Amino acid sequence: MPDTTTFLIVGGGLEGLSIAYSLADHGETDVVVLERDTLCSGMTAKSSGVVRCHYGTPSLAAMSWYGIDVFTHATEIFGDDMSFRQCGYLVGVGDDNVKPLEATVAMMQGLGITTDFVDHDTVAELWPGLHLDDFARFAYEPLGGRGEAYMTGMAFAATARKMGVTIRQGTTVTELLTDSGGSVYGVQVADGSQIHAEHVILANGPWAPTLAAGAGVELDVKAQRAQLVLVDQGVPTPEVPVLSDLAALQYICREPNGELLMGNSDHQTPEFVDPDRYVNRADDDAIEKNVVKLAHRLPDMPDPRITGSYVGAYDVTPDYNPIIGPSPVDGLFLATGFSGHGFKISPAVGKLVADLLVDGTTTLPNVDADDFRYSRFAEGDLLFSLHPYEGAGEMR
Ligand SMILES: Cc1cc2nc3c(=O)[nH]c(=O)nc-3n(C[C@H](O)[C@H](O)[C@H](O)COP(=O)(O)OP(=O)(O)OC[C@H]3O[C@@H](n4cnc5c(N)ncnc54)[C@H](O)[C@@H]3O)c2cc1C
């Protein structure tokens, strides 16, 4: 392993690997990625992989749109299809949320994103058997769908390696090295070695605050518990769109084996955990809530049974938007706090970070890099959705 490098990335999850690939794509191959465990074993391993542009924050919507373009051209770019399935993305709301839905769709269309309203009959064709009476309005993104975070991260990694990036697994960064002026100049590794770097990029998800604190940077990133439940309907579910059910505040997507994966879309009362110590099984009451909502939405499941559950943790910031940009300390760049958006925007995150580090500005269309600046919290200028949904919290 080199003992000096230009770019050192802490964390071999989706974001760190996307950044590594994008730096190489910018011609910067003096890049080292350090992962304490195995690649994509952190929260990337827990991702539901939902791909939608339906966001009330224009920069996020635009980053997702860029992501869709990369996912759909993955074979050409990476020689690997990343397992993206363009099954479509459907969002349905009750009477209370028609206005935010309409305003969000208008905003997205203004950005050139392919989305439109669909009526109940169209939804009944897209997903036969769904109970639709309590929905007032739907929007549909035919180009959205479902990806596989592990496969995506590994495609970034394989391509970055081919381009000359060094990736080390089983390599824990224990400390950021700072000089007498407080600038970060490298990292201390658990085996006693040090690597000096011009730029250290912190992309280690909910574990970022501890390392940042050692360099005097306070990061308000918490690990918010997310409980997921899997159900087999009794027959494999055919290919259907991902459904954001904002009437029942649940999302449902079809697993590659035809089971259904359900997650919670009500983030009004978040529960925070230690990302290294939590029970990897949903609570009984969360399982019951999910199953009751599913039975309401799919009343004719032939022979349903719960096949599993697991728990992950979103790395959330106070406004549920990521922190991407330079830290207040020289030499340290931040890419954390992805707040449940990190899969779909991962291609754009890599490009944004590489653009900012190499060129000082981004060419990502309709993305204002300033939106994600670290200082917005101290300034009290938080990045909230322009059209928040009643009951859903800030994650949309
Ligand atoms: C349950 C769940 C569902 C989600 N669903 C979706 C979705 O449907 N759509 C979507 O767009 N996004 C979704 N997300 C968000 C998305 O998956 C994440 O934002 C993304 O995977 C985060 O990637 P990351 O690289 O920032 O973090 P991680 O994947 O957590 O990677 C960080 C890495 O850093 C390593 N690390 C930590 N500390 C150190 C250290 N000291 N030294 C070296 N390495 C270290 C860890 O081992 C880890 O591998 C979901 C997230 C969760 C938790």
Side-chain angles (χ1 to χ4, degrees):
M1 188 154 62
D3 53 13
T4 61
T5 184
T6 308
F7 298 97
L8 188 144
I9 300 167
V10 184
L14 254 183
E15 313 306 337
L17 295 169
S18 175
I19 294 165
Y21 157 72
S22 294
L23 282 168
D25 193 44
H26 276 60
E28 298 288 345
T29 53
D30 190 23
V31 179
V32 173
V33 180
L34 301 183
E35 164 55 46
R36 67 174 189 174
D37 196 332
T38 51
L39 297 182
C40 301
S41 59
M43 293 313 161
T44 294
K46 301 293 180 77
S47 187
S48 303
V50 172
V51 175
R52 59 166 162 118
C53 300
H54 197 93
Y55 276 112
T57 307
S59 289
L60 270 192
M63 287 170 84
S64 306
W65 187 232
Y66 178 87
I68 288 179
D69 190 50
V70 172
F71 296 143
T72 45
H73 294 96
T75 307
E76 291 150 52
I77 304 169
F78 305 100
D80 180 322
D81 67 8
M82 290 180 155
S83 299
F84 178 57
R85 296 201 321 278
Q86 203 150 46
C87 52
Y89 169 82
L90 190 61
V91 50
V93 297
D95 289 322
D96 53 343
N97 273 320
V98 169
K99 276 195 178 139
L101 182 91
E102 291 180 344
T104 302
V105 168
M107 181 272 282
M108 291 166 68
Q109 289 174 337
L111 295 175
I113 294 168
T114 305
T115 185
D116 215 335
F117 304 105
V118 285
D119 61 18
H120 284 64
D121 290 345
T122 307
V123 175
E125 278 169 30
L126 287 168
W127 192 335
L130 276 188
H131 173 81
L132 302 178
D133 286 2
D134 51 334
F135 285 119
R137 198 114 163 88
F138 300 97
Y140 183 54
E141 289 175 45
L143 303 182
R146 179 88 202 278
E148 297 298 326
Y150 178 80
M151 304 298 284
T152 306
M154 294 313 276
F156 287 136
T159 311
R161 269 191 178 126
K162 269 188 217 144
M163 295 165 94
V165 167
T166 303
I167 299 177
R168 287 287 175 270
Q169 304 181 77
T171 307
T172 303
V173 171
T174 53
E175 200 186 329
L176 302 177
L177 300 171
T178 52
D179 64 19
S180 54
S183 299
V184 170
Y185 66 90
V187 299
Q188 178 71 48
V189 179
D191 66 5
S193 63
Q194 293 188 346
I195 306 180
H196 294 186
E198 223 172 281
H199 304 277
V200 173
I201 299 146
L202 217 46
N204 58 335
W207 297 276
T210 315
L211 282 182
V217 175
E218 194 193 322
L219 266 185
D220 192 353
V221 174
K222 296 193 180 82
Q224 179 178 321
R225 189 161 180 251
Q227 307 186 59
L228 290 303
V229 179
L230 288 151
V231 165
D232 175 358
Q233 292 203 60
V235 292
T237 308
E239 193 75 271
V240 287
V242 174
L243 173 66
S244 276
D245 176 349
L246 292 185
L249 295 174
Q250 180 182 56
Y251 69 85
I252 312 173
C253 36
R254 177 191 177 275
E255 289 283 279
N257 68 356
E259 291 184 11
L260 293 174
L261 174 72
M262 287 163 293
N264 175 35
S265 297
D266 177 357
H267 302 292
Q268 292 184 104
T269 49
E271 185 188 343
F272 300 113
V273 292
D274 176 339
D276 287 314
R277 266 174 225 88
Y278 61 86
V279 178
N280 192 25
R281 177 195 183 280
D283 300 338
D284 289 348
D285 65 333
I287 293 176
E288 191 182 334
K289 240 186 225 169
N290 273 286
V291 167
V292 167
K293 287 178 182 180
L294 183 70
H296 168 75
R297 199 53 73 212
L298 281 169
D300 299 324
M301 288 185 282
D303 185 17
R305 75 196 161 91
I306 299 160
T307 54
S309 80
Y310 57 92
V311 168
Y314 300 119
D315 49 339
V316 302
T317 65
D319 61 8
Y320 284 82
N321 272 305
I323 303 167
I324 306 169
S327 79
V329 159
D330 280 350
L332 182 64
F333 195 97
L334 305 169
T336 181
F338 287 95
S339 305
H341 319 311
F343 175 70
K344 59 187 82 65
I345 64 169
S346 59
V349 170
K351 177 163 166 55
L352 179 57
V353 173
D355 279 355
L356 292 177
L357 282 169
V358 179
D359 306 323
T361 181
T362 186
T363 54
L364 277 173
N366 300 310
V367 175
D368 183 353
D370 223 33
D371 278 354
F372 304 112
R373 70 196 183 282
Y374 169 85
S375 63
R376 69 183 189 271
F377 304 107
E379 292 159 4
D381 185 18
L382 275 63
L383 182 63
F384 288 125
S385 165
L386 298 176
H387 313 291
Y389 283 102
E390 200 65 48
E394 289 299 340
M395 208 178 271
R396 309 197 69 84

